[in-house]
Amino acid sequence: MNTAVVLFTSDLRLHDHPPLRAAVASADRVVPLFVRDDGIEAAGFAPPNRRAFLADCLTDLDEGLRERGGRLVVRSGDVVVEVRAVAQEADADEVHMAAGVSGYAHVREDRLRTALEKDGRTLCVHDAVVTALAPGAVVPSGGDHFAVFTPYHRRWSQQEIRGALAAPRTVRVPAGIRSEPVPSRADAEKAGGVSEGLAPGGEREARRRLNAWERGGLSRYDERHDDLAGDATSRLSPHLHFGTLSAAEAVHRARAVGGPGAEAFVRQVCWRDFHHQVLAARQDAAAADYRPRHDRWRSGKDAEVDIEAWKNGRTGYPVVDAAMRQLRHEGWMHNRGRLLAASFLTKTLYVDWRVGARHFLELLVDGDLANNQLNWQWVAGTGTDTRPNRVLNPVRQARRYDPDGTYVRRWVPELEDVDGSAVHEPWKLPDAARARLDYPGPIMALGDGLARFKEGRGTG
């Protein structure tokens, strides 16, 4: 009987899983394997929220495999060492895995391929597992990637996305393969640092949420996706990040529903693919400016004080503070809130985008390197935005996307007694009303921040 190993990484599901289906089709027995990667831990990419969500995903994946006669094998350590050991224990001919896009993922794949070939084994890397289209599937004439979203979206929309695969009915796992206990959320929470309102993870939860999204918010997504108080986004980003939901399947199901809402949602999936193809081509963009603007970012004690106020939701700009408090409580933030918080840090406070990106990665359950870093660069004007010097005014944005202040009052209870849109500018309240609030005044006048940004970037 021949055996194959399936290495799960950012694809923690059974439905629409090309590496698993290929392994089941080619081998009599399959070892579903997840390695708790020491390299990711050491680099700080396994903070409490993602560790807790990951535990949910692995628990659910193990349960799904057991329903099909199998189980999940869990190991910890260096991925190459552990995969090689499992392949030897199982006498496997092949190891199947999804392709990654980061520099770390590429190095890991190369190391694993070399190690397995020394043992006479084959590494099979599958594209379009983490994304709807593989990063290199759409390229401009004479280039290796698209640097602007609109032409990429045009070409991406013309491509045929592979059909979704059903989950295998049976997964036969050879006996005797050692496994660590599957991590639990309780253990992650015991270690501390998990956001109180963190959503549950796992493929069952992803599919439940997708089904509810199809029946509910999808049809009006184009109208309501920026409604801060309405919370009218899909909240599927953590599941796309951990791969408990297939991006390709999400696109097919949205298109089956059809209409402007579905088109707007598919466009967001395309944005995710766009950022992955940028990072695959320009791996240094995870830490370096994609388009350098020669910024003279603020540093020193004054900047540190402002950064801490921003992190703690105490900037004096209610919509920014609401977004930052939502992030801390849920490990997630509304997309419009992300834009406003990032613009405020980089354009109003004129602080390096890497500071904000690092903080988001410490808390976001959907903290994807490609999307997080390149979205931050887009807002900071060092990335793919064709209008690099745009500044989002938090007061105007709040009046537009939270007109009656419901979102602000939800997350900034100090202002819950301030009526209507006045909540967006509490510094304008009468002195007596202002004195009753345990809420700071603005840490920076918007005009002063804009002038400083223009001077720093040399556009003034």
Side-chain angles (χ1 to χ4, degrees):
M1 297 180 72
N2 60 333
T3 303
V5 175
V6 177
L7 176 62
F8 287 84
T9 54
S10 298
D11 50 350
L12 305 178
R13 62 182 184 269
L14 298 178
H15 290 81
D16 194 31
H17 196 288
L20 179 60
R21 288 305 302 255
V24 168
S26 66
D28 301 303
R29 303 179 304 180
V30 173
V31 181
L33 172 66
F34 181 83
V35 179
R36 301 172 70 174
D37 189 345
D38 281 352
I40 291 177
E41 299 267 349
F45 286 107
N49 283 339
R50 291 203 292 283
R51 191 189 298 269
F53 197 90
L54 171 64
D56 285 350
C57 297
L58 296 177
T59 297
D60 187 75
L61 180 59
D62 181 57
E63 291 173 354
L65 287 165
R66 289 181 184 278
E67 290 171 0
R68 291 163 173 82
R71 64 187 175 99
L72 180 65
V73 173
V74 177
R75 296 284 180 93
S76 297
D78 179 271
V79 170
V80 174
V81 172
E82 295 303 323
V83 172
R84 190 179 187 184
V86 170
Q88 290 173 344
E89 290 175 31
D91 193 22
D93 301 310
E94 298 175 339
V95 174
H96 294 259
M97 68 178 298
V101 300
S102 69
Y104 180 83
H106 287 166
V107 170
R108 183 174 62 186
E109 288 169 18
D110 290 343
R111 289 180 55 228
L112 183 54
R113 183 178 291 104
T114 299
L116 291 173
E117 286 176 352
K118 288 180 180 178
D119 297 337
R121 298 183 170 90
T122 302
L123 177 66
C124 305
V125 179
H126 299 257
D127 288 326
V129 180
V130 174
T131 52
L133 287 181
V138 178
V139 294
S141 177
D144 61 353
H145 74 289
F146 278 92
V148 177
F149 175 72
T150 299
Y152 175 81
H153 177 248
R154 189 180 304 117
R155 287 279 301 278
W156 184 93
S157 300
Q158 297 168 353
Q159 305 303 306
E160 182 177 352
I161 294 176
R162 63 169 182 78
L165 303 169
R169 294 183 177 180
T170 304
V171 179
R172 296 183 177 87
V173 179
I177 307 298
R178 178 182 62 81
S179 176
E180 299 170 7
V182 176
S184 70
R185 176 178 279 223
D187 290 339
E189 290 176 340
K190 193 180 300 181
V194 177
S195 291
E196 182 181 343
L198 184 70
E203 184 177 14
R204 286 181 178 84
E205 175 63 18
R207 301 188 74 77
R208 183 200 67 77
R209 188 172 288 277
L210 178 61
N211 291 336
W213 174 240
E214 285 181 347
R215 294 191 302 269
L218 179 60
S219 63
R220 296 187 61 196
Y221 180 69
D222 59 319
E223 304 169 8
R224 303 189 60 210
H225 67 278
D226 277 323
D227 179 358
L228 284 163
D231 196 16
T233 62
S234 71
R235 287 186 175 254
L236 291 172
S237 56
H239 296 286
L240 289 169
H241 172 62
F242 282 90
T244 52
L245 176 66
S246 154
E249 183 180 2
V251 169
H252 284 304
R253 289 180 60 167
R255 285 175 171 169
V257 173
E263 291 174 7
F265 174 72
V266 170
R267 182 181 176 88
Q268 293 303 310
V269 178
C270 180
W271 264 109
R272 182 174 181 271
D273 275 17
F274 172 73
H275 286 148
H276 277 75
Q277 61 96 38
V278 171
L279 187 61
R282 288 277 304 275
Q283 293 171 8
D284 63 329
D289 290 347
Y290 181 77
R291 290 192 173 108
R293 304 294 179 188
H294 309 293
D295 284 294
R296 292 167 288 175
W297 302 112
R298 291 173 62 215
S299 59
K301 187 174 182 179
D302 286 346
E304 290 174 3
V305 170
D306 288 350
I307 291 166
E308 286 306 305
W310 176 80
K311 288 181 178 179
N312 294 318
R314 298 285 289 178
T315 69
Y317 287 93
V319 73
V320 173
D321 294 341
M324 297 303 294
R325 295 184 193 191
Q326 180 181 26
L327 171 63
R328 189 168 295 279
H329 180 79
E330 295 188 355
W332 184 89
M333 188 195 295
H334 191 287
N335 184 60
R336 178 54 55 174
R338 299 186 197 206
L339 293 174
L340 296 179
S343 179
F344 188 82
L345 183 71
T346 58
K347 300 288 181 64
T348 301
L349 298 182
Y350 200 43
V351 169
D352 194 329
W353 64 266
R354 282 160 280 245
V355 173
R358 190 179 308 117
H359 180 67
F360 271 30
L361 282 178
E362 288 172 358
L363 290 173
L364 281 175
V365 66
D366 61 10
D368 179 283
L369 190 66
N371 292 312
N372 186 68
Q373 308 302 87
L374 290 168
N375 271 319
W376 267 96
Q377 291 221 49
W378 188 92
V379 175
T382 63
T384 63
D385 188 6
T386 55
R387 293 172 53 197
N389 298 320
R390 82 172 83 202
V391 178
L392 299 179
N393 182 303
V395 177
R396 292 176 189 162
Q397 292 274 309
R399 290 183 179 278
R400 181 175 180 182
Y401 298 116
D402 186 31
D404 62 1
T406 300
Y407 177 75
V408 163
R409 278 185 288 273
R410 181 182 303 159
W411 294 107
V412 187
E414 303 99 300
L415 302 177
E416 63 185 359
D417 293 329
V418 180
D419 294 331
S421 63
V423 76
H424 298 307
E425 297 175 284
W427 57 89
K428 291 186 177 180
L429 293 171
D431 290 346
R434 182 76 186 87
R436 290 194 294 268
L437 300 177
D438 178 23
Y439 185 71
I443 60 172
M444 168 61 59
L446 296 180
D448 293 344
L450 179 60
R452 182 172 56 193
F453 167 68
K454 288 182 175 181
E455 180 182 359
R457 188 157 285 186
T459 63

